[in-house]
Amino acid sequence: MTKFRIIAVVLAATLLSACGSSKFRTYNGPEVTQVVVDKGQRRMFLMHHNRVLKQYPVQLGFAPSGHKMVEGDGRTPEGHYVIDRRNPNSKFHLSIGIDYPNQRDMALAEALGKSPGGDIFIHGGPPRGTKIDGKSDWTWGCIAITDKQMEQVYAMVKNGTPIYIAPADLRQRARVQGR
């Protein structure tokens, strides 16, 4: 009977420890006041005012240069947006939504007689065997990081946080920033 109890206790401990490996993390550090994505550097920066708290290599839409104009163009938007939603059940592990399209994006697409698209997220889950190395863009316009990195970002970045997605081309940056 003692052997049975020992085995039962070990089995229960193993099952409980498996439950503790949640994808939901907690964060108690400085507030993330802005997210900055630099499409040219293929980097995402989580900022507390002027200070970089964390930075990550990213992958972008499969057609990475230029601003997203219409649904299906494979581009990642450029400009100022806001984190507006969370998806704990994303098919890409976890994801946080970007409020694309904004009024400017909708007007641009309408002028072209097209839909601007939507559902732009920062998410995890690059395809198996893909490294986040700045060379293998694969999303339909989203910003991808690893699942483990996404767990950190999901915990750190709250809804309402501004996000600036900077163009790869420096001349375009001035236009997107309104200068």
Side-chain angles (χ1 to χ4, degrees):
M1 193 62 140
T2 307
K3 271 187 180 179
F4 179 74
R5 279 189 178 163
I6 292 171
I7 291 171
V9 167
V10 169
L11 182 60
T14 303
L15 289 173
L16 286 174
S17 70
C19 294
S21 61
S22 170
K23 63 183 177 180
F24 301 104
R25 307 276 179 238
T26 57
Y27 174 70
N28 296 316
E31 175 189 13
V32 175
T33 57
Q34 182 178 23
V35 177
V36 176
V37 176
D38 186 317
K39 287 175 68 173
Q41 291 183 22
R42 298 293 197 284
R43 309 269 319 154
M44 179 171 67
F45 303 89
L46 304 186
M47 308 293 296
H48 176 72
H49 303 295
N50 297 357
R51 192 171 112 223
V52 175
L53 297 173
K54 292 273 188 182
Q55 62 177 296
Y56 305 96
V58 299
Q59 290 176 314
L60 304 170
F62 65 83
S65 66
H67 174 62
K68 180 166 195 61
M69 296 176 71
V70 297
E71 185 173 17
D73 65 9
R75 293 179 176 166
T76 301
E78 297 171 349
H80 295 276
Y81 297 93
V82 173
I83 301 300
D84 68 345
R85 62 199 181 280
R86 313 176 89 60
N87 184 356
N89 301 311
S90 170
K91 70 179 181 177
F92 297 106
H93 191 58
L94 292 169
S95 62
I96 55 175
I98 298 170
D99 71 339
Y100 173 90
N102 60 25
Q103 293 296 324
R104 182 183 70 120
D105 299 319
M106 288 186 276
L108 182 65
E110 185 179 324
L112 297 170
K114 306 259 184 173
S115 165
D119 284 340
I120 300 297
F121 287 85
I122 299 170
H123 61 67
R128 194 170 283 269
T130 301
K131 286 186 134 183
I132 304 235
D133 57 8
K135 298 175 186 166
S136 309
D137 295 314
W138 60 272
T139 76
W140 281 88
C142 294
I143 299 160
I145 55 180
T146 68
D147 289 350
K148 199 168 260 333
Q149 293 166 341
M150 190 61 221
E151 290 172 6
Q152 293 173 351
V153 171
Y154 196 87
M156 293 175 74
V157 177
K158 304 300 177 209
N159 288 1
T161 303
I163 178 169
Y164 174 63
I165 305 169
D169 180 347
L170 291 175
R171 290 167 292 185
Q172 279 295 107
R173 288 184 195 206
R175 280 188 222 127
V176 170
Q177 291 175 341
R179 295 182 188 156

